[in-house]
Amino acid sequence: MELETKLEILSAAAKFDVSCSSSGSNRKNTPNGLGNGHKAGICHSWSEDGRCISLLKILFANQCIYNCTYCVNRCSNDTPRAAFTPHEVANLTINFYRRNYIEGLFLSSGVIKSPDYTMELLIKTVKLLREEHSFNGYIHLKAIPGADTRLIHEAGLYVDRMSVNIELPSSQGLKLLAPDKNKEAIIKPMGFINKAIATVNEENRIYRKKQSFVPAGQSTQLIVGATPDHDYNIIKLSENLYKHFRLKRVYYSAYVPVVEHPSLPAIGSPPLLREHRLYQADWLMRFYSFHANELLDDRSPNFDLELDPKSCWSIRNMHLFPLEINKADYQMLIRVPGIGVKSAQIIVSTRKLCSIGFDDLKKIGVVLKRARHFITCKGKFYGSSFNETYLRDQLMSENVGGSKKVCSGQISIFSYFGAGLNQLQFNIPKKETTYE
Ligand code: SF4
């Protein structure tokens, strides 16, 4: 099969994985090496729906021995199959990198023969990149659930970020839609990676070593809407993952209905607004000290699609407001709709020098049309009412026009580079034959 055809099939097959952000690694270039990772994030280009496009995002192979109902790559699906060799992936990455098309590699795979066999091929690929091509750019590798931890460890020595995708938020969901997988096979490598990162960091600190093991941390992805799991279950799971496995990110991927099956929900389009609400809640848990059980509970287990989670929480907790801007503590300030982390920090530092007036808040970056309902400034209230229905209408009307256009598709490497891709001369050595 032509390399270009393989690339077309295997880059299209990878687009359902959204966990491809590439920040958090500061790998340096080496003498005679190629590229570097950047701590502040190397993704400079974003597709219209906000997804990163500067990684070469491909599957190693889209053949899979498993039969997850929701997945286009499941073994029972009649779809064109392809598989790269390690040399092909390494050479493609280097070629694209040299042309400045990409700044790193995001490599995942279907399960070929067995998890260990697949993991060995992925390791061979990243070793080639690091050792033969001296590639120092960013590599995000998917760990294959069920692979031996010895292999997970070896892979972690070469890559910047690893992720083990949980995909379905509950054991019942796994049983129903991914019967070949189990919770244990997913959680075990996550626990292993977490411990190995901590051990290497500790040894580096104590013995002043410079060992590297998954320096950009681990992440995972949850599919939203393929199973009946509520948002509350999903954010409780995320909260536990951040707490127990120190994940850098949990990504939420709206279920894309590409397959018809009686066990799958009959929806016309991916639940993107629900995905957006989960990202907002995730942000609140990571940076605003919210807990999952403050945002939702068993009686109200799904997010309001008309209003963001922080506004909903504030309206439910009106007994805590209004807050006096010149007195409220930082943890409460960041809970006010319209006040972000940065504005709250400036408020706290400024009021040590002088008291803050209502007009000053705009200069500080506070969104007054939202915040005014929940604050007082020098004792004066600038809102109109504490009535819940009124507040809800006000906050909803302020949201109108502020929401970004959401695009359900994902840009493809072919649409991005167009005809230019065909003109590339891929320099792939012939020494390796495919393993199929
Ligand atoms: S293991 Fe991954 S690639 Fe294979 S069918 Fe399941 S979701 Fe698809």
Side-chain angles (χ1 to χ4, degrees):
M1 185 186 282
E2 287 287 313
L3 184 60
E4 199 184 314
T5 314
K6 284 189 187 183
L7 186 58
E8 193 165 358
I9 294 171
L10 294 168
S11 59
K15 72 182 178 187
F16 298 103
D17 202 317
V18 296
S19 54
C20 61
S21 128
S22 61
S23 58
S25 176
N26 60 350
R27 179 183 302 280
K28 300 235 177 337
N29 197 358
T30 50
N32 305 318
L34 181 69
N36 59 280
H38 199 283
K39 200 170 179 97
I42 59 168
C43 298
H44 308 302
S45 304
W46 299 83
S47 61
E48 193 184 10
D49 62 349
R51 297 179 199 204
C52 148
I53 55 167
S54 67
L55 299 178
L56 173 59
K57 183 178 174 185
I58 46 174
L59 291 192
F60 187 89
N62 70 339
Q63 25 185 269
C64 190
I65 56 171
Y66 294 160
N67 203 27
C68 305
T69 311
Y70 54 87
C71 177
V72 279
N73 301 320
R74 70 194 194 282
C75 59
S76 64
N77 195 28
D78 183 17
T79 189
R81 302 286 175 175
F84 286 121
T85 64
H87 278 284
E88 283 174 338
V89 175
N91 282 286
L92 273 175
T93 307
I94 296 300
N95 273 294
F96 280 132
Y97 195 93
R98 288 210 167 110
R99 286 170 173 82
N100 213 16
Y101 287 176
I102 56 152
E103 301 189 56
L105 171 68
F106 174 89
L107 185 62
S108 182
S109 184
V111 185
I112 318 157
K113 291 188 186 175
S114 71
D116 282 357
Y117 180 78
T118 314
M119 205 66 217
E120 278 165 6
L121 286 165
L122 298 178
I123 291 169
K124 193 170 174 190
T125 308
V126 294
K127 270 175 105 165
L128 271 172
L129 275 165
R130 294 288 193 228
E131 292 179 350
E132 278 197 21
H133 295 281
S134 304
F135 178 69
N136 289 305
Y138 183 89
I139 300 179
H140 179 159
L141 188 73
K142 284 278 149 135
I144 305 295
D148 195 291
T149 48
R150 180 183 54 80
L151 296 171
I152 304 275
H153 184 261
E154 189 178 357
L157 300 173
Y158 295 94
V159 303
D160 296 276
R161 174 165 286 186
M162 274 181 113
S163 49
V164 191
N165 277 1
I166 293 182
E167 308 281 28
L168 301 172
S170 65
S171 300
Q172 297 94 305
L174 275 174
K175 219 172 181 176
L176 181 71
L177 298 180
D180 303 307
K181 294 183 186 168
N182 62 67
K183 198 173 149 196
E184 165 77 354
I186 299 166
I187 295 298
K188 193 175 161 192
M190 286 178 119
F192 176 82
I193 295 167
N194 179 38
K195 272 197 188 140
I197 293 173
T199 306
V200 165
N201 288 345
E202 187 63 5
E203 285 179 5
N204 286 350
R205 196 182 61 80
I206 295 172
Y207 305 113
R208 299 194 176 182
K209 287 183 181 175
K210 282 193 174 170
Q211 306 169 100
S212 173
F213 182 87
V214 194
Q218 62 170 327
S219 60
T220 192
Q221 169 178 278
L222 296 169
I223 297 175
V224 178
T227 55
D229 296 293
H230 293 128
D231 294 343
Y232 186 35
N233 299 78
I234 295 172
I235 59 165
K236 270 196 300 187
L237 174 60
S238 303
E239 186 173 56
N240 278 326
L241 292 170
Y242 285 127
K243 195 169 160 193
H244 298 298
F245 297 116
R246 285 176 287 186
L247 259 68
K248 286 283 181 200
R249 285 295 303 272
V250 176
Y251 292 89
Y252 306 92
S253 175
Y255 163 62
V256 182
V258 285
V259 178
E260 275 186 32
H261 191 278
S263 306
L264 288 169
I267 54 171
S269 56
L272 290 175
L273 190 50
R274 189 178 169 199
E275 177 193 282
H276 180 59
R277 290 283 177 257
L278 285 162
Y279 274 115
Q280 289 177 317
D282 187 276
W283 190 261
L284 291 178
M285 292 196 297
R286 286 189 297 135
F287 300 108
Y288 288 74
S289 309
F290 276 91
H291 294 290
N293 61 9
E294 290 179 283
L295 296 170
L296 292 172
D297 56 35
D298 287 324
R299 280 172 298 138
S300 178
N302 285 316
F303 286 112
D304 188 330
L305 294 182
E306 293 179 329
L307 202 55
D308 64 277
K310 192 179 182 189
S311 296
C312 288
W313 177 86
S314 306
I315 291 173
R316 280 200 310 274
N317 289 280
M318 279 313 289
H319 59 282
L320 301 173
F321 300 104
L323 296 181
E324 169 53 44
I325 280 290
N326 289 292
K327 288 189 186 145
D329 74 24
Y330 173 80
Q331 288 302 336
M332 277 308 289
L333 281 175
I334 53 175
R335 290 181 169 230
V336 174
I339 298 185
V341 168
K342 212 168 167 188
S343 325
Q345 286 168 349
I346 298 173
I347 290 170
V348 170
S349 56
T350 306
R351 72 191 184 187
K352 283 181 190 158
L353 306 171
C354 59
S355 61
I356 297 170
F358 189 71
D359 292 336
D360 301 323
L361 290 174
K362 198 170 179 185
K363 293 178 211 147
I364 288 172
V366 173
V367 183
L368 286 175
K369 59 185 179 181
R370 296 171 67 75
R372 68 190 173 95
H373 306 293
F374 303 93
I375 56 169
T376 58
C377 239
K378 297 183 184 173
K380 189 170 174 196
F381 179 58
Y382 291 86
S384 329
S385 164
F386 287 128
N387 179 283
E388 283 189 22
T389 314
Y390 169 82
L391 278 174
R392 189 180 159 79
D393 288 346
Q394 285 292 306
L395 291 169
M396 272 168 57
S397 67
E398 282 148 13
N399 267 343
V400 172
S403 60
K404 286 187 187 140
K405 189 181 163 201
V406 186
C407 163
S408 62
Q410 191 170 154
I411 197 161
S412 97
I413 199 161
F414 288 87
S415 59
Y416 188 62
F417 296 118
L421 190 71
N422 301 328
Q423 287 149 22
L424 290 179
Q425 297 295 312
F426 298 117
N427 183 22
I428 310 296
K430 294 280 176 227
K431 64 184 174 187
E432 193 182 21
T433 52
T434 182
Y435 48 84
E436 290 164 280

